[in-house]
């Protein structure tokens, strides 16, 4: 694999990661730095864009909670990508990104936005990158690199923990260990979506969180992930939130409870 930045920097990150013992595997950061996030950018791969995109499911949850104001959401994804494929600096410095939209609900009206700044960037690396021997080093290195870039651009870097495959029941524990290590090394808030999938698979096996490939999320899986993002970002419960889209209400309430339980127990906090 060709890596386009200082290999020594990655190696140092990996050495620090290895030095972290399993006893230290609790999240150091439990909430966002700011209580006034007005814009969020997602950077990742197909786990984000399946089912009309996680950021749109998040938008429904936000809109249905009167305590949260309007939040701009952008999603920049490349299928099959690792974070090494993404030029995060260009996403944050390009003022054209998010500068307008064409609203199909308003007769295709062109709506221009003067403000295009981003308050938080939620990153996701490829589903195996954290644990594959050929990508693990770059996983640590690029999360460190992109976190530095995001902070330089006055935004908060946040890491999205992916889930294990449905047909690989031991995969999640390995992922969790590496995600917690890298998040703590870089002082990142970690969104425990993988933890929620693990809990959901165990507590409600009748709800299939996956598509037929056993990797990508079903619509229920995307909704669960969005609910975890919501609860993590805002410290608010999703239970009873009416922003459920096409999810069956009896299923949505179960997914909301899984998300709330995951976030409250992962961070040892009480959701509002």
């Amino acid at each position: 694999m060709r890596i386009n930045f200082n290999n020594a920097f990655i190696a140092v990150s990996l050495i620090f990661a290895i030095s972290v013992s399993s006893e230290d595997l609790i999240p150091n950061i439990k909430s966002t730095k700011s209580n006034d996030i007005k814009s969020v950018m997602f950077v990742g791969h197909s786990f984000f864009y399946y089912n009309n995109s996680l950021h749109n499911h998040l938008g429904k949850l936000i809109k249905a909670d009167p305590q949260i104001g309007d939040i701009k959401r952008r999603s920049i994804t490349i299928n099959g990508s690792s974070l090494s494929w993404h030029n995060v600096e260009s996403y944050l410095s390009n003022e054209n990104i998010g500068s307008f939209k064409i609203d199909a609900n308003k007769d295709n009206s062109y709506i221009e936005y003067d403000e295009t700044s981003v308050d938080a960037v939620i990153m996701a690396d490829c589903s195996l990158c954290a644990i594959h021997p050929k990508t693990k080093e770059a996983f640590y290195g690029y999360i460190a690199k992109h976190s530095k870039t995001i902070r330089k651009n006055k935004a908060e870097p946040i890491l999205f923990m992916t889930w294990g495959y449905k047909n690989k029941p031991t995969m999640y524990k390995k992922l969790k260990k590496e995600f917690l290590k890298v998040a703590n090394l870089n002082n990142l808030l970690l969104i425990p979506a993988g933890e929620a999938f693990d809990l959901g698979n165990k507590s409600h096996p009748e709800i299939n969180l996956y598509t037929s490939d056993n990797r990508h999320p079903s619509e229920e899986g995307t909704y669960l992930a969005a609910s975890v993002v919501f609860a993590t970002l805002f410290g608010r419960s999703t239970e009873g939130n009416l922003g459920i889209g096409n999810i069956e209400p009896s299923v949505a309430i179960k997914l909301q409870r899984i998300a709330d339980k995951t976030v409250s127990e992962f961070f040892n906090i009480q959701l509002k």
Side-chain angles (χ1 to χ4, degrees):
M1 173 183 290
R2 174 179 288 176
I3 299 175
N4 294 323
F5 65 95
N6 195 317
N7 288 334
F9 177 73
I10 304 179
V12 169
S13 297
L14 189 57
I15 289 169
F16 278 132
I18 293 170
S19 69
V20 179
S21 73
S22 59
E23 296 176 357
D24 297 324
L25 295 182
I26 58 173
N28 290 341
I29 307 299
K30 299 179 183 293
S31 63
T32 58
K33 301 290 185 185
S34 170
N35 293 322
D36 192 33
I37 291 177
K38 298 299 184 185
S39 57
V40 177
M41 176 183 287
F42 288 82
V43 174
H45 47 82
S46 53
F47 279 19
F48 279 165
Y49 70 63
Y50 258 54
N51 307 302
N52 196 31
S53 194
L54 189 154
H55 80 286
N56 285 322
H57 289 263
L58 175 63
K60 291 182 175 67
L61 288 161
I62 291 171
K63 187 175 181 179
D65 190 324
Q67 298 300 315
I68 301 175
D70 184 41
I71 293 179
K72 293 180 182 177
R73 292 155 286 108
R74 305 165 199 169
S75 187
I76 301 178
T77 57
I78 305 172
N79 63 297
S81 68
S82 74
L83 285 173
S84 65
W85 296 19
H86 287 277
N87 186 339
V88 175
E89 176 70 53
S90 71
Y91 302 159
L92 295 172
S93 62
N94 184 350
E95 294 182 354
N96 289 312
I97 295 177
S99 63
F100 72 90
K101 76 172 181 178
I102 297 176
D103 194 339
N105 296 320
K106 296 182 178 179
D107 197 27
N108 294 330
S109 298
Y110 179 91
I111 301 173
E112 191 168 0
Y113 298 111
D114 295 327
E115 180 57 58
T116 62
S117 63
V118 175
D119 295 325
V121 179
I122 299 175
M123 305 178 283
D125 212 333
C126 81
S127 57
L128 281 169
C129 281
I131 57 176
H132 196 286
K134 294 290 188 180
T135 56
K136 186 174 180 179
E137 185 175 313
F139 168 77
Y140 277 90
Y142 274 94
I143 288 173
K145 180 177 189 282
H146 291 330
S147 296
K148 184 177 179 180
T149 296
I150 293 163
R151 289 180 172 122
K152 183 185 73 173
N153 283 274
K154 297 180 170 39
E156 179 176 356
I158 298 172
L159 185 60
F160 182 92
M161 181 200 296
T162 54
W163 46 82
Y165 300 162
K166 185 177 182 180
N167 59 346
K168 302 286 185 183
T170 63
M171 179 178 168
Y172 172 62
K173 287 186 177 180
K174 297 175 184 177
L175 288 171
K176 179 179 179 180
K177 181 178 179 180
E178 302 306 328
F179 271 101
L180 277 164
K181 284 181 181 179
V182 78
N184 287 345
L185 279 169
N186 294 283
N187 294 313
L188 300 174
L189 178 63
L190 180 61
I191 296 175
E195 185 96 339
F197 267 62
D198 187 60
L199 176 60
N201 291 335
K202 292 173 180 175
S203 62
H204 288 286
E206 76 280 6
I207 302 176
N208 188 3
L209 302 176
Y210 301 83
T211 59
S212 58
D213 68 3
N214 294 317
R215 300 184 179 193
H216 289 90
S218 63
E219 189 162 7
E220 289 78 7
T222 294
Y223 183 76
L224 175 59
S227 298
V228 174
V229 173
F230 177 94
T232 303
L233 290 183
F234 307 115
R236 294 184 60 78
S237 170
T238 63
E239 184 172 351
N241 187 300
L242 298 179
I244 63 174
N246 297 322
I247 306 297
E248 177 69 31
S250 62
V251 173
I253 193 69
K254 293 177 182 177
L255 296 172
Q256 290 171 348
R257 288 169 179 164
I258 292 167
D260 289 354
K261 180 177 174 63
T262 296
V263 173
S264 61
E265 292 184 357
F266 187 76
F267 296 110
N268 192 25
I269 60 172
Q270 183 70 43
L271 295 175
K272 300 171 188 176

